[in-house]
Amino acid sequence: MTRFRVASVFLLSTFALQVNATQVHFGVNNDVVSTALEVPLSKDTNAVLGYIYADEAGHIAQGAIHMSHDVGAHHFEVGAKMDQLWSDYAQNGSAISVGGRYALSMGPSISLHASAYYAPSVLAFSHVDGHYELDSKVQYRLTPNMALHIGYRKIVFEYDNARDFTFEDGVYFGGQFRF
């Protein structure tokens, strides 16, 4: 119990110190809702905690850490992401994916974003034998602290002794808030 309290205080203090640049992301379509909290850890490092719920697929909890680099209008992030799947329609499991995110600023208000993560069988646990996630979106910045986007996301969990499970495959709408 003491470890839990120490860890909770550490996490809360970390988030409190970074509150000026924290971002909240959300996305929704007819069957899926997603949310993520992105916190900068340093100038070139960030952490992301996410949750995705799908009516006919289950739940995914996600945690990622990225190192970033900016070159003009290009923004690159490389890192690792942990996904934990709970589903009534496929075997539960987890995977550690490697990959990253890319953003291209097309001007002061419009940007293109893409991300890709892949977990081979050696980084998949429980019943999962592999995992990949692809995401792309077009974002329009309404204010310096608020943006709206439309995107496409595909999340698949692979199994040795069962059919691969497509958690999500479709278009979504969403937003991003910075505070």
Side-chain angles (χ1 to χ4, degrees):
M1 189 66 166
T2 303
R3 285 186 191 168
F4 177 73
R5 287 183 188 155
V6 170
S8 298
V9 169
F10 174 74
L11 286 174
L12 289 174
S13 64
T14 301
F15 289 135
L17 291 173
Q18 303 295 333
V19 75
N20 289 336
T22 299
Q23 295 183 43
V24 176
H25 305 266
F26 73 90
V28 66
N29 66 23
N30 198 39
D31 301 317
V32 179
V33 63
S34 64
T35 185
L37 176 68
E38 183 174 336
V39 178
L41 301 176
S42 71
K43 179 181 174 269
D44 298 325
T45 310
N46 66 48
V48 181
L49 298 174
Y51 173 77
I52 303 173
Y53 170 76
D55 276 345
E56 298 180 10
H59 309 265
I60 296 177
Q62 300 176 319
I65 190 161
H66 302 105
M67 291 175 34
S68 64
H69 181 69
D70 293 311
V71 180
H74 305 276
H75 177 78
F76 300 93
E77 294 183 10
V78 203
K81 181 184 209 181
M82 173 75 177
D83 289 275
Q84 173 62 51
L85 169 69
W86 297 278
S87 178
D88 292 335
Y89 307 99
Q91 296 177 332
N92 297 341
S94 58
I96 299 173
S97 305
V98 292
R101 306 188 298 187
Y102 170 75
L104 174 63
S105 178
M106 304 291 287
S109 298
I110 296 179
S111 57
L112 303 175
H113 299 256
S115 67
Y117 294 91
Y118 173 70
S121 61
V122 72
L123 295 175
F125 309 100
S126 297
H127 301 287
V128 175
D129 191 48
H131 165 69
Y132 67 89
E133 178 176 340
L134 305 170
D135 189 351
S136 63
K137 63 186 172 188
V138 176
Q139 181 168 282
Y140 180 77
R141 184 159 302 284
L142 299 169
T143 70
N145 295 326
M146 185 171 57
L148 298 176
H149 56 257
I150 181 169
Y152 169 80
R153 180 171 46 214
K154 183 169 186 169
I155 302 173
V156 176
F157 289 87
E158 300 168 339
Y159 299 94
D160 265 344
N161 301 322
R163 295 179 60 183
D164 292 350
F165 178 57
T166 301
F167 184 88
E168 180 182 9
D169 187 6
V171 175
Y172 67 95
F173 302 93
Q176 169 186 314
F177 302 97
R178 182 186 311 252
F179 58 93

